[in-house]
Amino acid sequence: MLDIASMMQDYVAHMHLQNLEGNSSTYLPGVHFYRASQSSVRQPLLYQSGIIIVGQGRKVIHLGDHAVQYGAGNYLVIGVPLPLECEAFVEDDQAILGLSIDVPPSLLHELVNLLYLEQGLQSNNKQVLECGLKAAKLDMAFQLSCIRLLDALKDKTASTILGPGLIREIVYQVLVGPQRHTLLGLAQYEGHYARIAKALNRVHVDYSKEISVEALASEANMSVSAFHRAFRQVTMESPLQYLKKVRLGKAKELIHVGGKRTNEVANLVGYSSPSQFSREFKRHFNQSPSSY
């Protein structure tokens, strides 16, 4: 039987991705394939929420004092977008290969409700808050689901017809596995984890606007002190530090992909002072916006 690494290698060959460096969209919306031929030093990155499955290579991600190593045959569940630092390692001269899968909220809530109904589980709005970054090993059932998805992704028709069912299967595998707490926390509308996730979504949409911690706390129906505490437990950052890292991450993307100039980028990501933007960009990325 083919393993995850072999199926990812097959996907690279079939889709002619031998020169890919970074992420590539697939035929299925919300599913991206990743390839890197070289190791990379520790650098700031903004990890999006979702399920990350690794076929080859190894990565170490750092969030505050918290470090997580994951590699071939592992998966990671990230409930909220997180600004962190990542270093990547090629092993045995084989490119790093991985798959990332967004979790549609409607699908998540449907499956969680079914699990509560079928297994008699009770929703717990007072779950322990934590960043939740822990690697887990793919068991046989999960591997088979991933292999079928990778096979379907090689064909547009198969992706359209089979893809949604295979994503459903993979989300189910997470919900019955050791990393289920992250997705369960997101599904609990009134739980603190879900409230912080909603606040983070607001930050990612409105990062260019004036955003106050008081407004975010009010929208989350929490006191400012409780919001601060819960926010830090989930992201390992204060709200203002998180917002700054999101803005700088967006700025890096605008410079790299859009080729925009420093003053324009500063304004687009919510900085009123271009000089302050340049200082904070250089401090964060160890490189000035213009040289980047």
Side-chain angles (χ1 to χ4, degrees), residues 2 17 43 54 56 58 65 92 96 98 132 151 157 181 185 187 193 196 208 220 232 235-236 239 244 272 289:
L2 288 174
L17 298 176
Q43 58 185 310
V54 182
Q56 285 183 178
R58 178 172 57 90
D65 295 329
D92 301 323
I96 302 165
D151 191 47
T157 302
H181 62 276
Y193 193 93
I196 297 302
S208 63
R232 188 176 287 278
T235 68
M236 299 288 184
K244 182 173 79 173
S272 57

Side-chain angles (χ1 to χ4, degrees), residues 175-199:
L175 285 170
V176 296
Q179 292 301 303
R180 61 183 174 272
H181 62 276
T182 301
L183 294 186
L184 288 174
L186 279 176
Q188 294 168 1
Y189 293 103
E190 295 304 316
H192 283 180
Y193 193 93
R195 294 188 195 188
I196 297 302
K198 185 178 178 182

Side-chain angles (χ1 to χ4, degrees), residues 180-222:
R180 61 183 174 272
H181 62 276
T182 301
L183 294 186
L184 288 174
L186 279 176
Q188 294 168 1
Y189 293 103
E190 295 304 316
H192 283 180
Y193 193 93
R195 294 188 195 188
I196 297 302
K198 185 178 178 182
L200 295 179
N201 286 335
R202 161 82 188 281
V203 169
H204 282 265
V205 171
D206 293 337
Y207 61 87
S208 63
K209 301 176 183 176
E210 182 105 16
I211 301 177
S212 71
V213 177
E214 290 76 14
L216 291 174
S218 177
E219 290 173 15
N221 197 24
M222 300 170 71

Side-chain angles (χ1 to χ4, degrees), residues 102-225:
D102 294 346
V103 180
S106 57
L107 173 62
L108 174 61
H109 290 112
E110 179 193 352
L111 293 183
V112 169
N113 287 337
L114 285 172
L115 282 172
Y116 286 151
L117 184 65
E118 292 296 321
Q119 299 183 2
L121 300 178
Q122 296 296 315
S123 176
N124 176 19
N125 290 337
K126 296 181 179 179
Q127 75 274 9
V128 176
L129 292 177
E130 55 181 29
C131 73
L133 281 182
K134 294 173 185 168
K137 189 172 177 60
L138 293 164
D139 61 21
M140 184 60 69
F142 205 151
Q143 285 191 59
L144 290 172
S145 298
C146 294
I147 286 170
R148 288 196 294 273
L149 175 62
L150 284 160
D151 191 47
L153 288 175
K154 292 186 292 184
D155 179 80
K156 187 174 183 179
T157 302
S159 295
T160 301
I161 295 173
L162 301 176
L166 292 167
I167 296 301
R168 182 185 181 90
E169 194 174 310
I170 286 172
V171 174
Y172 169 77
Q173 295 294 350
V174 173
L175 285 170
V176 296
Q179 292 301 303
R180 61 183 174 272
H181 62 276
T182 301
L183 294 186
L184 288 174
L186 279 176
Q188 294 168 1
Y189 293 103
E190 295 304 316
H192 283 180
Y193 193 93
R195 294 188 195 188
I196 297 302
K198 185 178 178 182
L200 295 179
N201 286 335
R202 161 82 188 281
V203 169
H204 282 265
V205 171
D206 293 337
Y207 61 87
S208 63
K209 301 176 183 176
E210 182 105 16
I211 301 177
S212 71
V213 177
E214 290 76 14
L216 291 174
S218 177
E219 290 173 15
N221 197 24
M222 300 170 71
S223 69
V224 172
S225 60

